[in-house]
Amino acid sequence: MAPSSAHSNESDVHSREEGDEGSVTCNKIKHVLCVVLLAAIIYINISALTYSSPDAASFNVEEHLWQVVVVHFIRLLVLFTVPFSLFNFFGIVGLNTFPRRPRLQRSPLLAPFLCFRVVTRGLFPKLVHENIQRNLGVCSHLELQNFIFEVVTDEPLQLPRSSRVREVYSLEPEVDILAEDDWIVHLDEETVLTEEALVGIINFVAEGRHDFGQGVITYSKDHIVNWVTTLADSVRVGVDYGSLRFTLKVLHRPIFSWKGSFIVANSAAEKRVSFDHGPESSIAEDCFFAMVAFKLGYSFGFVDGEMLEKSTFTFRDYVHQRKRWMQGIYLTALSCQLPLRYKLGPVLMTVCSLCLPLTTLNMLLTILYPVPVWLWLNCSVGFCSSMIVFLFVLGTMKSFSIRRYGVLRCSLFVLSTLACSILIIVFENVASILAFWTPSKHEFYVVKKEVRSRDIVL
């Protein structure tokens, strides 16, 4: 090699290393600012609750006894959200919320066999076809060779014949082509791979330390159909960076369940756990599967990178989607197949969802009936409400890149999310009422997923 060429390559390496160091430093600064913002929100919330309470010495408790009892009872119900809030807090403070992009640890040519599995009822053939083509393009760009896309459908989709795409109608043993050391990546019909997520998957399966894994899903980096529901789903992104990341990356257990897509599973482990556990597992099969795997002692890990999905297109779909999740987690919490110590997370989530209409009244009662409240209770309520607000803010910041939209527009997105929070609270309460005060607990509502030209972009 000529000296000039060697010098040029050496300079490129040094430039990349300096760029990486600068990026890591910048990300650490962002994380510190993020933690400072969280601390500020917690301080403001707790202070507001504390200073809004009247002085106990001058307050006539006997005269307002029923108000005191009701306010304290409702605020005590909020304590059921403390564990979930703490796990989110640990994940956000203890783990960098602005990690650098994942890099391949080994060549994709040496990766284990990957089966990207899409399970569908066959109601949206165009969507399935388009997303498989997009995902095939990502795999091709990364030069992945050892993989296949498997579409498990109830209705024929007439997918084009290809050595990379397989359409099947059941997953009985005779149609299962996977070996025990192969890996399955579960995708929803609308899930779109990104290069970063594929890199994270390859690294995860190549390392082979855990049996199951999952990563972050965002809802605003593809075509947005409904801005309100997309901003509402920002909290899900925040939870991915908080509780999900902490429980999978640190504890290696799905304490509060996990999502139904972006699941990376070892083939042998998935077969032993199985998704078939009767009617009580049919509404939130992802949650039930995670708890069974937890009970059997399998290890969980976090997968770097983000995948893309769309939020629900209509408010009706949003409400029914939340209703189905609440009912599915409720059935998991009641299941006799799972010992209590493995389903404490779903039990707490069910209680929180059931009490949601009451705990929502806490905000109104604080304004309408100010009464003296124990300091520790105000601090607990202030902490939990602060975490919810921050998860919306963090999710919005992670969903809308400053580099793409600029500081002003990203700030407007955050403010818009907070402004939409009142409407979001109403939807969540309606979902809670429908989930727990209607007779059917086994209805699997299918949301609309295909975008057509006549769809209204809100």
Side-chain angles (χ1 to χ4, degrees):
M1 180 182 291
S4 57
S5 300
H7 179 73
S8 176
N9 290 338
E10 187 176 340
S11 300
D12 291 341
V13 170
H14 285 307
S15 297
R16 285 196 297 268
E17 290 177 350
E18 290 174 2
D20 290 344
E21 291 176 2
S23 177
V24 169
T25 302
C26 181
N27 289 348
K28 287 181 179 178
I29 293 173
K30 289 180 182 177
H31 175 64
V32 171
L33 293 175
C34 193
V35 173
V36 170
L37 176 60
L38 172 59
I41 293 175
I42 293 174
Y43 175 78
I44 292 171
N45 246 342
I46 292 178
S47 299
L49 284 174
T50 303
Y51 290 122
S52 65
S53 298
D55 184 20
S58 59
F59 188 86
N60 191 333
V61 176
E62 294 181 357
E63 184 179 344
H64 304 281
L65 182 60
W66 73 271
Q67 298 174 10
V68 174
V69 171
V70 170
V71 169
H72 277 79
F73 173 73
I74 290 179
R75 291 203 180 178
L76 285 170
L77 291 178
V78 179
L79 296 182
F80 285 110
T81 65
V82 169
F84 185 65
S85 299
L86 283 173
F87 277 86
N88 279 294
F89 179 83
F90 295 147
I92 290 165
V93 174
L95 302 171
N96 193 334
T97 47
F98 292 88
R100 72 176 186 179
R101 294 174 60 179
R103 292 186 168 188
L104 281 171
Q105 302 301 315
R106 64 175 64 185
S107 170
L109 300 176
L110 303 177
F113 186 81
L114 291 174
C115 173
F116 296 93
R117 180 174 291 166
V118 180
V119 180
T120 174
R121 293 190 175 187
L123 302 178
F124 310 108
K126 181 182 177 183
L127 176 70
V128 174
H129 175 74
E130 289 178 350
N131 283 346
I132 283 183
Q133 295 304 313
R134 292 179 66 178
N135 293 336
L136 282 170
V138 175
C139 295
S140 174
H141 185 262
L142 210 61
E143 298 182 351
L144 186 65
Q145 297 295 326
N146 207 15
F147 74 96
I148 193 172
F149 277 83
E150 186 174 75
V151 182
V152 185
T153 178
D154 291 339
E155 301 292 334
L157 297 174
Q158 305 300 329
L159 296 175
R161 293 181 178 274
S162 168
S163 60
R164 295 297 188 190
V165 180
R166 182 170 180 251
E167 183 176 339
V168 297
Y169 302 99
S170 67
L171 281 177
E172 299 301 324
E174 58 267 19
V175 300
D176 186 8
I177 62 172
L178 301 181
E180 291 201 344
D181 56 350
D182 293 337
W183 290 80
I184 304 168
V185 182
H186 289 276
L187 308 175
D188 276 351
E189 296 158 312
E190 74 272 23
T191 309
V192 177
L193 279 171
T194 64
E195 187 172 314
E196 291 79 8
L198 186 54
V199 169
I201 291 168
I202 293 172
N203 291 341
F204 182 85
V205 302
E207 189 178 24
R209 290 181 55 195
H210 307 287
D211 305 290
F212 303 102
Q214 187 163 82
V216 175
I217 295 177
T218 61
Y219 306 89
S220 64
K221 296 183 178 179
D222 203 4
H223 177 66
I224 296 177
V225 177
N226 188 319
W227 275 91
V228 175
T229 58
T230 301
L231 293 176
D233 277 335
S234 296
V235 71
R236 297 170 65 187
V237 181
V239 170
D240 283 354
Y241 276 97
S243 173
L244 181 77
R245 202 163 51 131
F246 181 77
T247 55
L248 299 189
K249 198 178 186 73
V250 178
L251 304 180
H252 305 301
R253 295 293 183 269
I255 305 298
F256 296 99
S257 183
W258 62 352
K259 304 183 295 290
S261 58
F262 200 169
I263 293 175
V264 182
N266 172 261
S267 175
E270 180 175 307
K271 290 174 188 175
R272 294 190 190 104
V273 175
S274 174
F275 281 94
D276 187 10
H277 299 282
E280 59 189 5
S281 70
S282 61
I283 305 301
E285 70 282 353
D286 47 357
C287 177
F288 206 98
F289 178 93
M291 296 305 114
V292 173
F294 184 11
K295 182 186 72 171
L296 295 177
Y298 285 102
S299 178
F300 289 71
F302 185 78
V303 183
D304 295 321
E306 298 178 355
M307 285 198 192
L308 311 181
E309 288 187 1
K310 290 184 179 68
S311 298
T312 52
F313 300 168
T314 66
F315 299 142
R316 183 175 186 273
D317 280 357
Y318 180 92
V319 169
H320 281 279
Q321 182 189 65
R322 265 53 176 184
K323 171 195 170 186
R324 176 169 64 82
W325 293 346
M326 291 177 185
Q327 289 181 335
I329 294 172
Y330 165 78
L331 293 173
T332 302
L334 291 184
S335 174
C336 296
Q337 300 183 50
L338 300 168
L340 180 60
R341 64 181 180 273
Y342 297 110
K343 59 180 182 181
L344 281 175
V347 168
L348 285 173
M349 293 177 70
T350 297
V351 174
C352 292
S353 299
L354 178 64
C355 297
L356 184 60
L358 287 176
T359 54
T360 302
L361 290 176
N362 179 64
M363 296 181 290
L364 293 175
L365 293 177
T366 301
I367 300 171
L368 298 177
Y369 300 105
V371 299
V373 179
W374 303 314
L375 178 62
W376 67 268
L377 186 54
N378 270 337
C379 291
S380 300
V381 173
F383 171 74
C384 293
S385 59
S386 298
M387 286 307 306
I388 294 297
V389 171
F390 182 78
L391 290 175
F392 274 108
V393 173
L394 176 63
T396 306
M397 291 192 299
K398 298 298 295 185
S399 298
F400 298 96
S401 169
I402 292 179
R403 182 176 299 176
R404 178 180 177 184
Y405 292 100
V407 175
L408 178 59
R409 293 182 68 185
C410 286
S411 300
L412 290 175
F413 288 140
V414 171
L415 294 175
S416 299
T417 301
L418 297 177
C420 290
S421 61
I422 297 176
L423 192 59
I424 295 166
I425 290 171
V426 172
F427 292 154
E428 295 286 346
N429 275 275
V430 172
S432 174
I433 294 170
L434 292 175
F436 298 106
W437 301 104
T438 56
S440 174
K441 295 293 187 294
H442 294 82
E443 178 187 0
F444 194 99
Y445 183 86
V446 179
V447 301
K448 178 184 175 184
K449 297 181 178 181
E450 271 189 348
V451 181
R452 293 169 296 184
S453 58
R454 63 174 180 271
D455 286 330
I456 297 175
V457 180
L458 182 63

